[in-house]
Amino acid sequence: MDHQFALIAGAALAIMIAASVFSRRTGVAAPLLLVGLGIGASYLPGAPTIHVEPELVLAGVLPPLLYSSAVNLPVLDVRRNFQLITWLSIVLVIVSAVVIGLVVHWAFPSIRLSLAIALGAVVAPTDAVAATAIGRRVGLPPRLMAVLEGESLVNDASALVVLRTATAAIAAADTFSVAHTALDFLWAVTGAVLIGLVVGWLTVLLRERLDDPVLNTTISFAVPFLAYFPAEEAGVSGVLAVVLAGLVTGSLGSRRFSVRDRQTQATTWTTISFILESAVFLAMGYQLPELLDAARDETNPGEIGGIVAITVGLLIALRFLGLAWPAIGNYRHRDEQGAQMRERLDQFEERLDAMAPADEREETRLAWARRRLARGRADIAFEEREPVTTRGLVVIAWAGMRGVVTVAAAQTIPVGTPHRATIVLAAFLVALITLVLFGLTLPLVIRRMGFEAESAEDKRDAFQSLLRSVGETALDTVGPVDEQTVDGIPVDPQIATMLKEQVLPRMLTGVREVRHARPDTLEQSLVVQRRYLDAMRDALGSERSIGAYSSETYRQVQGLLDSFEQRVGR
């Protein structure tokens, strides 16, 4: 048995790698390839029957998948698109789950209402994996990518909350209360946010003190489960707690973790995410023939086809109708809201200019208020520079593919539930149809929208502008090179001259080549360089909190500072 398991695991990894390579060369979405290969593998002579425990999927697969996505998603993008992400991932998910459940139960009375709503909850969340892979290849604007990624994170939590309430109704009696679901959702969100924030913050503090890539990576493996299981025991959303823990880790880690820690974590979690996502899609295809056989014992193909057709049709209709509301709001009120916000900020700035701080505490509060003012102006500039237009909303609507979470969550419906195989098969088919329908046509839709990509010159100018701002702030914070001391001893004049004329100009202009000092004065040079580097990191964190530049520009400047840190050490 162990030998057979090792053989299956090895074959699965080989298939995953082959599908990924083929996808990159042909442009066909990897999830589609994996599902097809899984179906083909299930018909091979001697192919074993594989049963995956629902609890293993929910508690062992989803937490690391969600954590991997959350830790790499910039908080700045979530904040700027919070309203649209909330609308898509909470309101639209709950409405879709309830509407699909009511219609399916009405059309097929043999399907209990609670089970039908469970189906709606399973298929409601979108999966950004295939959509963002396509978007990067064909030039989807970064803001739309951020919306899709943020939506796919939060909608998993909201959908699973509804699913949990529905499955509880399945186990208890055939009752489903929308009011009870709303209250359960509010408690699940509140408790999950608190647990996720605490777990993320505490683990970051611990990992910051260890500063060891091996230990930190090991701890990072435990973070999603440290957030998930306590949240589930408290009766709140474990997946949302994992998302919050990941966002906190990603935000604080960019400033508190060393370069080695962040690089090791990024590589490790990218690998874990690739294996888990690929395994779920492969298992989806592998289990489809078995699900077909099980579903035939419960219902006829016509009913299964009807459930799938109704579900897919409602998903498409509800997504486009749901995005019509933001489109109308943007068309009517975007300019008006921008003008009103700019007027309020001008008034706020006048009040700040009239203030005369009497002590250090008031100066700190005034500085904080000015940063908020700068952030408000940056948000307005961002909306004008990268608005979510009607064309963008069409692409978001068309990127409604279902994937990993739908496949994994469907299998958590309690075994022994009447018509369980029918519902699980329907969810699998809905995910497959949306992957094929939207995955194959999304590139064409994006190209037809005619989005204008940011020019290389604009990207370079933004990079240089941010780096210059960070460098000037660091110089003001640390002070002139000539005045630096190391252990109370003034810096050697030759070292100061070399730093001032060669090293610092290179750091501030993004040139990566740095000449080292003489061996006998190298320590002084490195100490002073680290001071300016740390000050530049702090300045970059302040700039990121304001958000005057794109997330990609912040990543580029951070990458440059990381390269300097690797040269001078910590």
Side-chain angles (χ1 to χ4, degrees):
M1 184 63 183
D2 293 339
H3 176 73
Q4 186 182 40
F5 176 79
L7 182 62
I8 294 173
L13 287 174
I15 292 173
M16 295 173 196
I17 295 171
S20 179
V21 172
F22 188 79
S23 173
R24 293 175 184 177
R25 294 184 176 180
T26 62
V28 179
L32 290 177
L33 295 173
L34 289 165
V35 171
L37 291 171
I39 294 174
S42 67
Y43 287 105
L44 291 176
T49 301
I50 299 177
H51 293 286
V52 180
E53 293 295 330
E55 291 78 10
L56 176 62
V57 175
L58 186 61
V61 175
L62 286 184
L65 270 179
L66 295 175
Y67 178 82
S68 176
S69 300
V71 80
N72 292 314
L73 183 64
V75 176
L76 174 63
D77 290 341
V78 177
R79 179 178 66 80
R80 281 176 164 169
N81 300 290
F82 182 79
Q83 185 174 358
L84 182 56
I85 289 175
T86 302
W87 175 261
L88 290 170
S89 58
I90 297 179
V91 178
L92 200 55
V93 164
I94 295 176
V95 171
S96 298
V98 174
V99 170
I100 289 172
L102 291 173
V103 174
V104 169
H105 175 65
W106 172 79
F108 303 94
S110 60
I111 305 294
R112 296 165 59 181
L113 177 60
S114 53
L115 184 60
I117 292 181
L119 170 64
V122 164
V123 300
T126 58
D127 188 349
V129 174
T132 53
I134 294 170
R136 290 189 183 95
R137 191 173 67 249
V138 298
L140 189 65
R143 185 174 187 183
L144 299 183
M145 300 270 285
V147 170
L148 291 174
E149 291 175 343
E151 177 199 3
S152 69
L153 273 179
V154 182
N155 65 14
D156 297 339
S158 56
L160 290 175
V161 169
V162 179
L163 176 62
R164 182 178 60 186
T165 305
T167 52
I170 292 172
D174 193 11
T175 58
F176 189 89
S177 170
V178 175
H180 181 268
T181 301
L183 292 174
D184 186 32
F185 179 81
L186 289 175
W187 163 238
V189 169
T190 304
V193 168
L194 292 175
I195 292 175
L197 291 176
V198 170
V199 170
W201 180 67
L202 290 178
T203 53
V204 166
L205 289 181
L206 175 61
R207 295 169 63 185
E208 180 186 16
R209 283 162 174 74
L210 291 175
D211 193 20
D212 182 292
V214 175
L215 295 179
N216 282 343
T217 302
T218 304
I219 294 173
S220 74
F221 292 154
V223 172
F225 303 105
L226 290 174
Y228 179 83
F229 287 109
E232 289 294 317
E233 288 296 323
V236 301
S237 173
V239 292
L240 183 58
V242 171
V243 170
L244 264 295
L247 289 174
V248 170
T249 302
S251 177
L252 297 180
S254 64
R255 299 189 301 270
R256 300 192 178 191
F257 295 164
S258 68
V259 179
R260 294 184 307 161
D261 291 338
R262 284 185 279 110
Q263 290 177 342
T264 303
Q265 175 178 270
T267 303
T268 301
W269 278 103
T270 301
T271 304
I272 292 174
S273 179
F274 166 75
I275 293 175
L276 291 179
E277 287 171 354
S278 301
V280 171
F281 283 115
L282 189 61
M284 171 185 174
Y286 193 88
Q287 290 180 308
L288 270 178
E290 182 184 353
L291 280 173
L292 283 169
D293 294 336
R296 288 195 189 101
D297 298 334
E298 297 179 346
T299 185
N300 59 66
E303 291 182 344
I304 295 176
I307 293 173
V308 172
I310 289 174
T311 303
V312 172
L314 286 174
L315 284 176
I316 295 175
L318 289 170
R319 187 161 181 86
F320 276 89
L321 287 174
L323 282 167
W325 180 259
I328 295 173
N330 286 345
Y331 179 77
R332 289 183 175 179
H333 306 297
R334 179 188 298 145
D335 295 337
E336 180 182 347
Q337 289 176 348
Q340 292 176 351
M341 180 62 69
R342 190 175 286 104
E343 182 179 356
R344 286 198 293 267
L345 291 177
D346 289 339
Q347 295 173 354
F348 183 51
E349 185 176 19
E350 291 178 359
R351 292 197 297 271
L352 292 180
D353 291 339
M355 292 182 180
D359 52 30
E360 185 176 349
R361 181 179 179 182
E362 290 188 5
E363 288 182 358
T364 302
R365 295 176 60 184
L366 182 61
W368 177 84
R370 291 197 179 279
R371 283 197 299 271
R372 291 296 301 268
L373 174 66
R375 188 172 77 174
R377 295 196 184 282
D379 289 343
I380 294 176
F382 173 75
E383 287 291 340
E384 295 173 347
R385 185 174 67 249
E386 299 183 43
V388 179
T389 62
T390 302
R391 292 180 300 167
L393 291 174
V394 169
V395 171
I396 292 175
W398 202 256
M401 288 166 277
R402 271 65 184 175
V404 172
V405 174
T406 293
V407 174
Q411 299 178 70
T412 66
I413 296 175
V415 177
T417 301
H419 294 93
R420 177 186 184 273
T422 301
I423 294 301
V424 174
L425 175 61
F428 274 39
L429 292 176
V430 168
L432 182 59
I433 290 171
T434 57
L435 280 172
V436 174
L437 174 63
F438 296 122
L440 296 180
T441 57
L442 184 60
L444 177 62
V445 172
I446 294 176
R447 292 190 183 99
R448 291 293 298 271
M449 292 297 104
F451 295 111
E452 295 184 3
E454 186 180 9
S455 67
E457 183 179 357
D458 290 340
K459 292 181 180 179
R460 185 172 59 253
D461 290 344
F463 172 79
Q464 292 292 345
S465 177
L466 176 58
L467 184 61
R468 190 181 308 112
S469 176
V470 168
E472 290 174 354
T473 302
L475 288 173
D476 292 340
T477 302
V478 179
V481 178
D482 299 335
E483 299 178 3
Q484 300 301 307
T485 61
V486 178
D487 296 331
I489 303 174
V491 174
D492 184 281
Q494 293 183 0
I495 291 297
T497 301
M498 184 269 292
L499 290 171
K500 185 164 50 176
E501 296 180 357
Q502 298 179 18
V503 176
L504 292 183
R506 293 177 185 275
M507 292 177 66
L508 302 183
T509 56
V511 179
R512 296 172 186 264
E513 296 179 3
V514 179
R515 296 180 183 177
H516 290 296
R518 301 191 315 269
D520 59 330
T521 57
L522 180 60
E523 183 61 29
Q524 280 191 341
S525 173
L526 295 179
V527 169
V528 176
Q529 288 182 56
R530 283 196 291 267
R531 288 177 185 171
Y532 287 103
L533 180 61
D534 290 340
M536 292 177 72
R537 283 200 180 282
D538 292 339
L540 179 62
S542 299
E543 287 285 349
R544 185 183 276 114
S545 67
I546 294 173
Y549 301 88
S550 68
S551 296
E552 179 60 28
T553 303
Y554 289 117
R555 278 194 291 265
Q556 289 176 350
V557 173
Q558 179 171 307
L560 176 68
L561 298 184
D562 288 347
S563 68
F564 281 121
E565 181 179 317
Q566 289 177 317
R567 285 168 171 77
V568 303
R570 283 185 67 85

